Amino acid sequence: MNLNHAFVCGHPALDFAATLRARRSTRFEMFVTPERLNAWYLESGLVDTITPGDEEDVQEAITVREAVYRLITNRRLGEEFDREALALLNGAARKIPVTPQLTVMGRHTEATPEQALATIARQAVELLSGPDVPLLKECDNPECTRVYIDRSRGMRRQWCGMESCGNKHKAAAYRARKKTSSGVSA
């Protein structure tokens, strides 16, 4: 499994929810240490610097992430929101978020892991109550459980990302066609 964080879903809250990979098969947790969690916050562009976190920050992030994923799934499937997940998300969103500062070098955002998580929670609230809800789709790769925003023409996008899932599926389909065509001519 690729240990790099991926940002292919079209929204930070969706990318955050996708940090538990392959939910239906061999689940792969990206937030295994406070350092990996903080790396996600930095790589996502949410913060420029972040104070070191601890195991409690990781557990809180995983709890909120799972609530976000549950609510995204509820919304995508047209279901009523899970009440426990709703309470968890709203509780996290009420905390103090990241606050950007203007410096002589430009914009700079320094935060704690709790502030970063509060910001992600607020972004999830905005996503789940905003105009992009009808554009939410789950990747067609059966091994992938990422949900993304499909802004493609005609809403025909099938994959969370070509580099992560689309190319793998297309290569497998090509190999299957080649195998079938070489088997037919033999």
Side-chain angles (χ1 to χ4, degrees):
M1 179 66 71
N2 185 349
L3 290 177
N4 295 326
H5 294 294
F7 301 93
V8 297
C9 299
H11 192 280
L14 296 174
D15 290 320
F16 185 73
T19 58
L20 176 60
R21 301 214 182 134
R23 289 171 180 270
R24 287 188 290 274
S25 58
T26 310
R27 297 164 69 97
F28 186 81
E29 177 61 65
M30 296 297 290
F31 296 156
V32 292
T33 65
E35 294 76 23
R36 293 291 297 151
L37 173 63
N38 279 359
W40 189 91
Y41 290 139
L42 290 165
E43 291 169 31
S44 72
L46 186 67
V47 299
D48 298 309
T49 57
I50 191 160
T51 58
D54 58 29
E55 286 301 321
E56 190 174 311
D57 294 316
V58 173
Q59 289 311 309
E60 182 70 16
I62 289 171
T63 299
V64 171
R65 179 200 59 207
E66 292 309 299
V68 169
Y69 185 79
R70 176 77 247 147
L71 295 169
I72 289 167
T73 301
N74 291 152
R75 183 57 88 206
R76 191 175 57 76
L77 298 177
E79 300 170 350
E80 186 175 313
F81 281 139
D82 178 281
R83 300 287 184 194
E84 185 179 341
L86 201 56
L88 281 165
L89 177 62
N90 287 329
R94 282 187 203 100
K95 294 182 179 175
I96 298 171
V98 168
T99 305
Q101 300 290 303
L102 185 61
T103 70
V104 293
M105 300 300 289
R107 181 181 190 267
H108 183 79
T109 306
E110 185 174 345
T112 65
E114 183 178 69
Q115 290 172 310
L117 184 59
T119 302
I120 285 292
R122 287 172 181 226
Q123 290 176 345
V125 168
E126 293 300 319
L127 172 67
L128 293 167
S129 62
D132 288 336
V133 168
L135 306 178
L136 296 176
K137 288 172 94 175
E138 187 176 69
C139 184
D140 275 358
N141 177 353
E143 294 296 314
C144 183
T145 54
R146 286 186 186 121
V147 175
Y148 60 91
I149 297 175
D150 183 0
R151 289 193 175 96
S152 68
R153 190 183 212 167
M155 287 193 58
R156 294 184 178 198
R157 182 173 159 190
Q158 296 178 283
W159 320 109
C160 61
M162 280 307 292
E163 62 284 345
S164 53
C165 290
N167 286 342
K168 290 176 192 172
H169 181 77
K170 288 183 176 202
Y174 175 78
R175 285 191 302 274
R177 285 192 307 273
K178 289 296 262 183
K179 185 176 181 180
T180 302
S181 67
S182 64
V184 170
S185 55

